[in-house]
Amino acid sequence: AGNTNVRMSVAKIVILNWNGVGHLRRYLPSVVQAAPSGVEVVVADNGSTDDSLAVLAAEFPTVRVVRLDRNYGFAGGYNRALAQIEADYYVLLNSDVETPAGWLGPLLDTLERHPDVAAVAPTLISWVDRSRFEYAGAAGGYIDFLGYPFCRGRILRTVEEDRGQYDDARDLFWVSGAAFCCRADVFHALGGFDDDFFAHMEEIDLCWRMQLAGYRVRIVPQSRVYHLGGGTLQTDSPSKVFYNHRNNLAMLFKCSSPGQRAVVAVVRPALDLLAALSYLVQGRADNFRAVFRAWRDFLRWHGALSRKRQSIRAARKSESRYIYCGSILLRYLLGRRVFGKLM
């Protein structure tokens, strides 16, 4: 099923799984059915302790399995798995993504036609409500000057209805790791995802490094997939708060220009303190502590991050043109909660 065009380049779909047997049974059949002829589907198992491996062997015999000895997180898991997988293009998919027929062709065609595009992605539509974008990446992402991510179709917690308003393919700052198609050689040349991140922000960090290395990142809305995802994240877990804060600070330290870094160093401590206090007022002491744990780890990483920054900045060929020169938080508080009203 799907696009059966013969390609000289080799693409492989790689799904990272950790104790996700329910997701595999529900979503993997669509991925296998929609995979173009010659495109192998691989599940990289992150040390699952549920029935994932037995179900894969019994119910999905055509799917290759790469077994990792323990849970290395999203970043480390993919890095270790992709080191064992040879391809020209990697198509990274979350285990809770449903793929319709023909979804992969436009992504691979874009990479074939544009050698300077390092990563592409489809539009993410909510699997639960297919009239709306999905929180994780919607129709492609940006960050503001202070490092806060947002998307075409999702500003902070406000997710828009899909009315075709973002159906244009374009370059932008980041695309979601939920459905992330990239050049294998660029992925490996840049060191892949940052292993230290474990989970959250690693795809934004990699997209930024791709742009600093002179490549483009592009959304291709002619391709659409359906993602269950985490909804609106109204119940932020302490671990999610911790990883998002810590990894965002690390990413900014490594990749930002000297001017942006100076502004962030002054403003972000105050904003993160306000965020922590807001959790405390809400009675969410675990999240309050998570913000301070994030800063503690970030400061402990200073030496390693300085070395990474030196390497990244020394090798840069360009700066990203897709950082929003303003504060998305301020715009949101002023009522501008739709992407189309930002620019």
Side-chain angles (χ1 to χ4, degrees):
N3 190 327
T4 57
N5 291 342
V6 176
R7 296 180 180 278
M8 295 300 292
S9 300
V10 175
K12 294 189 180 179
I13 297 169
V14 187
I15 298 169
L16 190 67
N17 172 69
W18 181 68
N19 290 343
V21 66
H23 285 340
L24 293 175
R25 279 184 160 143
R26 174 172 285 177
Y27 298 100
L28 187 53
S30 75
V31 178
V32 173
Q33 184 177 7
S37 176
V39 174
E40 184 180 31
V41 178
V42 183
V43 171
D45 188 78
N46 232 349
S48 291
T49 55
D50 65 0
D51 294 332
S52 290
L53 292 173
V55 166
L56 286 167
E59 300 178 22
F60 302 98
T62 64
V63 172
R64 175 184 167 193
V65 177
V66 172
R67 300 188 184 195
L68 303 177
D69 60 331
R70 62 180 175 86
N71 182 11
Y72 291 96
F74 186 97
Y78 264 125
N79 285 347
R80 284 163 178 78
L82 296 180
Q84 304 177 47
I85 298 171
E86 290 189 10
D88 299 302
Y89 305 131
Y90 294 136
V91 185
L92 311 186
L93 272 186
N94 278 14
S95 61
D96 59 349
V97 171
E98 178 184 314
T99 58
W103 76 280
L104 191 52
L107 303 180
L108 298 179
D109 287 342
T110 299
L111 291 175
E112 291 275 289
R113 292 197 318 267
H114 303 286
D116 61 336
V117 172
V120 294
T123 294
L124 293 184
I125 301 297
S126 169
W127 185 82
V128 175
D129 179 356
R130 301 193 179 202
S131 69
R132 308 192 78 82
F133 295 105
E134 205 282 311
Y135 181 95
Y142 296 83
I143 63 168
D144 74 1
F145 205 69
L146 298 174
Y148 292 94
F150 60 99
C151 305
R152 298 200 303 168
R154 190 266 295 172
I155 307 292
L156 299 183
R157 295 168 192 256
T158 299
V159 180
E160 295 179 47
E161 184 180 355
D162 174 23
R163 302 185 307 277
Q165 68 271 43
Y166 306 122
D167 280 353
D168 58 311
R170 65 163 65 181
D171 293 352
L172 31 64
F173 191 82
W174 62 272
V175 290
S176 173
F180 186 92
C181 183
C182 68
R183 297 183 183 278
D185 58 347
V186 176
F187 181 90
H188 292 301
L190 296 179
F193 296 120
D194 190 322
D195 246 26
D196 293 333
F197 279 25
F198 190 79
H200 297 292
M201 294 279 171
E202 62 285 302
E203 79 269 51
I204 304 180
D205 172 75
L206 179 57
C207 285
W208 198 344
R209 289 185 282 121
M210 285 174 168
Q211 291 167 83
L212 292 174
Y215 293 97
R216 295 188 286 146
V217 174
R218 194 163 178 84
I219 191 77
V220 183
Q222 291 75 21
S223 174
R224 300 156 70 83
V225 299
Y226 303 98
H227 184 215
L228 176 62
T232 58
L233 301 184
Q234 291 175 348
T235 54
D236 301 275
S237 69
S239 62
K240 192 168 290 187
V241 170
F242 166 72
Y243 286 126
N244 275 330
H245 276 81
R246 184 196 66 178
N247 296 346
N248 186 262
L249 292 167
M251 174 182 73
L252 286 163
F253 188 96
K254 290 191 306 175
C255 299
S256 62
S257 67
Q260 183 182 9
R261 183 182 173 201
V263 173
V264 168
V266 173
V267 180
R268 273 297 294 273
L271 289 176
D272 285 359
L273 178 60
L274 287 174
L277 292 173
S278 73
Y279 285 129
L280 195 61
V281 169
Q282 297 168 45
R284 300 158 83 179
D286 286 348
N287 285 3
F288 170 81
R289 288 189 290 269
V291 176
F292 286 95
R293 286 194 299 115
W295 270 91
R296 178 201 65 195
D297 277 20
F298 167 63
L299 294 173
R300 286 177 177 173
W301 280 358
H302 185 270
L305 288 173
S306 295
R307 290 188 290 274
K308 290 178 183 179
R309 175 181 174 81
Q310 184 177 10
S311 175
I312 292 167
R313 298 295 301 174
R316 79 187 187 283
K317 295 182 179 178
S318 62
E319 300 287 354
S320 175
R321 297 186 291 116
Y322 300 104
I323 297 172
Y324 180 62
C325 292
S327 168
I328 199 68
L329 288 174
L330 181 59
R331 293 294 180 122
Y332 192 83
L333 292 173
L334 291 175
R336 296 192 179 182
R337 300 182 179 184
V338 174
F339 179 87
K341 296 182 179 179
L342 282 179
M343 303 304 184

